[in-house]
Amino acid sequence: MSTLPVNRVDSLPADALPPGGGLASPTPVRWGDGALVGLFAIALIGLLKAASAVLVPISAALVLTFVFAPVVRRLRRHGIHEAAGAGIVVVALIATTLLAFSSLAGPATQWWERAPTTLAQLMDRFDHLRIGSRNEGQRETGGPIPPARSGAASATPPQALPSDSIKEQLATEGVALTRVVIGRLLFFCVSAAATVILLYFLLASEHWVVSRSVEAIPRRRSRALFLGGLRSVQREISHFLSSLALVNFGVGLAMIVATWWLGLPNPVLWGTVSGALNFIPYLGPIIASALLLMAGIVTFDTLPAMMAPAAALLIVHGIESNFISPFFVGKRLSLSPVSMCLSVMCWGWLWGMAGAVMAVPILVAARAVCKRRRSLRLWHVYMEGSVRPASSLRALLRGKHRAETQRLA
């Protein structure tokens, strides 16, 4: 047999090389597949963004179906048909929501009517605090303090001109702001009506849809996996949201008591706002604290009293997030803080406030799906929170090297 030159091996066909020897050809990198995946992801994000008016009611109805479907099944076991049970659940949900809105409509309308005046008062308070701090600094450094002007000059200080222009701008743009609010309110009403109607049909036909879906799967093992995964997602979302609702109800009650004790008007409104915004991780308490801070600045005169309502919310939220929520939610449903923050940011950017509210239920469902799929276990690790301390990288590398050595031996 003639020996082939080494530099001519690359020119040989693949079948000319021996099966167990020769040069191993590298696996080609399929850039086309990666580009298709990237284009598909971009198109999917664009679709989620463009079709938010349709997808938000559907997603909200699905999340609520996961929460209330066990109630309908329990009613069915007691002899109540699915349609009647779904009607009972939907009517109870609508009645509770309307009762809450009717009790809060009066205080919310008062604060909304006072919004231009409130903003003007905030500007005046900030100007007063800024001028007072500047004069105090000049007293401490021994610098000259500008004397107070008399007559017409003192009646119209230079600092009043920006505030007057802002007040005029707020007055001229009030009609446009009201038009935008009315448009948003009409859109919210239409989306809420679509969500309620779809929720009723999903609850009434949940058993039929699940049974037909299981029947369409040919293999018995696949049927068991599908039904087990669906019930797992439903159970985890229901338990998580019910526990979170109970915790946020306690936050609302605590803020009602705190704002009433501090003397802030409409304590029921502020407690409800604090409890409702607490459904949004991280961003919700920040927004509620900012609102309470503005209400305190408008209502009170001293700096400690102005900051007291926002400080009370931060204290209540700290106790809730560190002690109460871990006890009620449990370690089994704990989520990674990074994954929760990213989920709120992404879904809030896609669907606004509704997406931020549904970000955590969507994350819980995605984690349950990744937990049952072996190919997605790595994503489940990133989504799941854990109190167990992570091993050092050196120990992990040493363990990997030891396992590789044992495998080769």
Side-chain angles (χ1 to χ4, degrees):
M1 177 181 289
S2 60
T3 304
L4 295 174
V6 177
N7 56 357
R8 299 297 302 277
V9 174
D10 295 337
S11 61
L12 291 177
D15 54 354
L17 294 175
L23 297 177
S25 59
T27 303
V29 180
R30 299 180 179 179
W31 297 104
D33 295 344
L36 289 176
V37 172
L39 291 175
F40 176 76
I42 294 173
L44 181 61
I45 293 174
L47 177 63
L48 292 174
K49 183 74 173 178
S52 60
V54 178
L55 295 178
V56 168
I58 295 175
S59 302
L62 287 174
V63 171
L64 293 175
T65 301
F66 287 155
V67 174
F68 294 109
V71 179
V72 177
R73 288 201 301 269
R74 193 173 294 112
L75 293 175
R76 183 167 58 88
R77 295 191 192 101
H78 289 82
I80 301 176
H81 194 264
E82 290 90 345
I88 293 173
V89 171
V90 171
V91 169
L93 181 62
I94 294 175
T96 305
T97 305
L98 291 179
L99 181 62
F101 272 105
S102 62
S103 61
L104 300 176
T109 303
Q110 294 176 4
W111 282 97
W112 176 254
E113 291 176 351
R114 292 171 50 191
T117 307
T118 301
L119 291 177
Q121 290 178 1
L122 286 175
M123 297 295 178
D124 294 338
R125 291 291 178 89
F126 283 128
D127 289 339
H128 178 71
L129 292 175
R130 179 174 57 83
I131 295 171
S133 62
R134 183 179 62 183
N135 294 339
E136 186 67 25
Q138 289 178 353
R139 288 193 186 95
E140 293 178 356
T141 56
I145 299 176
R149 299 182 181 181
S150 61
S154 62
T156 308
Q159 288 81 8
L161 295 177
S163 299
D164 292 339
S165 61
I166 291 175
K167 292 176 184 178
E168 293 177 359
Q169 185 177 2
L170 289 174
T172 55
E173 294 181 356
V175 178
L177 181 61
T178 305
R179 187 184 300 114
V180 171
V181 171
I182 292 175
R184 292 289 183 179
L185 184 60
L186 290 176
F187 176 76
F188 172 77
C189 292
V190 173
S191 299
T195 302
V196 170
I197 295 172
L198 182 59
L199 173 64
Y200 171 76
F201 286 114
L202 287 176
L203 289 175
S205 60
E206 188 261 348
H207 178 71
W208 180 85
V209 171
V210 172
S211 62
R212 291 297 182 271
S213 301
V214 172
E215 185 181 356
I217 299 175
R219 297 179 57 186
R220 182 178 179 181
R221 178 177 175 80
S222 300
R223 290 181 178 181
L225 290 175
F226 171 77
L227 186 58
L230 181 62
R231 294 307 185 205
S232 176
V233 171
Q234 190 178 60
R235 183 169 55 252
E236 292 192 7
I237 290 180
S238 178
H239 177 66
F240 185 87
L241 288 182
S242 58
S243 303
L244 191 62
L246 183 61
V247 170
N248 292 339
F249 181 76
V251 170
L253 286 180
M255 287 307 302
I256 290 174
V257 175
T259 51
W260 171 79
W261 183 72
L262 293 172
L264 191 68
N266 308 120
V268 178
L269 174 64
W270 295 115
T272 306
V273 169
S274 302
L277 289 176
N278 205 45
F279 279 95
I280 306 176
Y282 308 115
L283 295 180
I286 294 175
I287 297 173
S289 300
L291 294 176
L292 286 170
L293 180 60
M294 289 190 292
I297 291 174
V298 174
T299 305
F300 304 111
D301 296 327
T302 61
L303 184 60
M306 293 178 186
M307 301 181 64
L313 176 60
L314 293 178
I315 293 173
V316 171
H317 176 67
I319 296 174
E320 172 265 324
S321 59
N322 291 293
F323 300 101
I324 300 177
S325 290
F327 176 77
F328 278 92
V329 176
K331 299 179 181 179
R332 184 174 60 87
L333 292 178
S334 61
L335 297 171
S336 170
V338 177
S339 62
M340 290 177 63
C341 185
L342 290 176
S343 180
V344 171
M345 291 173 60
C346 293
W347 290 107
W349 170 69
L350 287 173
W351 293 345
M353 187 63 69
V357 173
M358 291 187 293
V360 176
I362 292 174
L363 183 62
V364 172
R367 192 195 65 166
V369 172
C370 294
K371 184 178 180 180
R372 303 185 68 87
R373 296 287 299 178
R374 183 174 300 178
S375 59
L376 301 176
R377 290 288 176 85
L378 182 61
W379 295 103
H380 172 261
V381 172
Y382 292 146
M383 296 177 188
E384 187 176 20
S386 177
V387 296
R388 181 177 60 86
S391 303
S392 63
L393 297 179
R394 182 176 299 177
L396 292 175
L397 293 176
R398 189 184 302 117
K400 183 178 180 180
H401 177 70
R402 186 182 299 112
E404 187 70 19
T405 305
Q406 294 176 359
R407 186 180 66 82
L408 294 176

